Amino acid sequence: MGAPKQKWTAEEEQALKAGVVKHGVGKWRTILKDPEFSSVLYLRSNVDLKDKWRNLSVMANGWSSREKSRLSVRRVHQVPRQDENSMAITAVAPSDEEIVDVKPLQVSRDMVHIPGPKRSNLSLDKLIMEAITCLKENGGSNKTAIAAFIEVNRKYRIAPIAAYSDRRRNSSVLYLEGRQKASMKIDRDETNILTRSQIDLELEKIRSMTPQEAAAFAARAVAEAEAAIAEAEEAAKEAEAAEADAEAAQAFADATTKSAKGRKSPKRIHA
DNA sequence: TTAGGGCTACAC
DNA sequence: GTGTAGCCCTAA
């Protein structure tokens, strides 16, 4: 078949992610036309961008190939299975574009903290809220878009589930890109690296919560989300958008509470 | 113009 | 043989 396959470079991938953050998912043509990205993506077509994003999305969702994404059609008809190791809260998503405000904690679990500039003590849910706030996608943002947003803006990276649980499991410092390594040197002093064990610890805490504790946690999550919204309001002066985000945060809180109640933790007779 | 399905080269 | 990733085709 004519021309050989043209592998995506890290620069192209970065440009694509940045483009999605800037223009949104599905705006492939717009991204290509953007002079900021066209210099990097000039060899790519809008279809290439779409295909690459699809691959990224699949990986971010922890599926090893698009083959699995096709199964999602069938999966809808199956009883949702509560993943033992995740906090997946509700319904099975109809496609590979899972809506993050439905499964926020699974996103958190997959997040790897790469040291970046400032903002060192941002909690995971706050980062996600910030991403949702800024992306302003109707009905919430998909995981890949949020991952890209956080990666582009915060030098964080959300590792693909499969890759994370497989190849990179043994690495305490998960992968960095050159640019991020450089920024790490500069910002090391003011960063608060959230290690894998810390993440696990936090998740374990959540898992073992009583409904009351979960409610308190949810309240705190709402408070943090509202604080994030206040920030966004100040910065962007978009009160309406922030209100929508508050709803997303509330949904997150509700889902967390429901999840905790649903689990009812039989192991936790004493507490 | 975009999304989704399919094909296939390539690496392991 | 299997999984991944890039490219092609088609419908909307």
Side-chain angles (χ1 to χ4, degrees), chain A residues 29 51 56 88 94 101 117 132 177 216 237:
Chain A
R29 196 77 210 162
D51 283 338
L56 290 173
D101 60 3
I132 294 170
E177 290 169 353
K237 305 219 185 283

Side-chain angles (χ1 to χ4, degrees), chain A residues 181-199:
Chain A
K181 282 180 187 166
S183 69
M184 184 174 76
K185 281 181 190 165
I186 298 165
D187 299 305
R188 180 168 292 173
D189 290 345
E190 43 184 318
T191 54
N192 177 25
I193 300 173
L194 198 56
T195 64
R196 164 114 176 108
S197 60
Q198 283 175 291
I199 294 170

Side-chain angles (χ1 to χ4, degrees), chain A residues 16-27:
Chain A
L16 171 59
K17 287 174 182 176
V20 167
V21 168
K22 185 174 179 182
H23 297 290
V25 177
K27 308 293 182 190

Side-chain angles (χ1 to χ4, degrees), chain A residues 82-100:
Chain A
Q82 192 78 281
D83 186 336
E84 198 188 345
N85 290 322
S86 79
M87 289 289 290
I89 291 168
T90 58
V92 176
S95 75
D96 62 343
E97 293 295 341
E98 295 179 27
I99 301 304
V100 159

Side-chain angles (χ1 to χ4, degrees), chain A residues 142-180:
Chain A
N142 76 57
K143 232 167 164 177
T144 316
I146 290 181
F149 178 90
I150 292 171
E151 185 178 340
V152 168
N153 288 283
R154 295 271 172 252
K155 307 283 194 296
Y156 282 72
R157 169 165 284 200
I158 295 175
I161 293 171
Y164 180 70
S165 60
D166 181 14
R167 290 169 210 168
R168 299 187 177 96
R169 190 200 300 270
N170 297 326
S171 153
S172 57
V173 178
L174 291 119
Y175 62 112
L176 300 171
E177 290 169 353
R179 205 183 55 185
Q180 292 168 333

Side-chain angles (χ1 to χ4, degrees), chain A residues 23-69:
Chain A
H23 297 290
V25 177
K27 308 293 182 190
W28 313 122
R29 196 77 210 162
T30 313
I31 293 170
L32 273 181
K33 282 181 186 168
D34 191 327
E36 192 179 334
F37 311 115
S38 59
S39 57
V40 181
L41 298 172
Y42 68 99
L43 289 174
R44 303 293 178 180
S45 68
N46 49 341
V47 175
D48 290 334
L49 266 57
K50 181 259 298 179
D51 283 338
K52 182 60 181 176
W53 187 255
R54 177 168 56 177
N55 284 336
L56 290 173
S57 296
V58 169
M59 293 310 290
N61 279 309
W63 296 330
S64 55
S65 73
R66 278 179 296 174
E67 201 61 39
K68 291 186 182 178
S69 79

Side-chain angles (χ1 to χ4, degrees), chain A residues 114-133:
Chain A
I114 303 296
K118 294 279 184 174
R119 300 286 202 133
S120 50
N121 291 318
L122 281 179
S123 63
L124 298 172
D125 51 345
K126 204 165 173 179
L127 273 172
I128 293 164
M129 281 306 302
E130 183 181 313
I132 294 170
T133 300

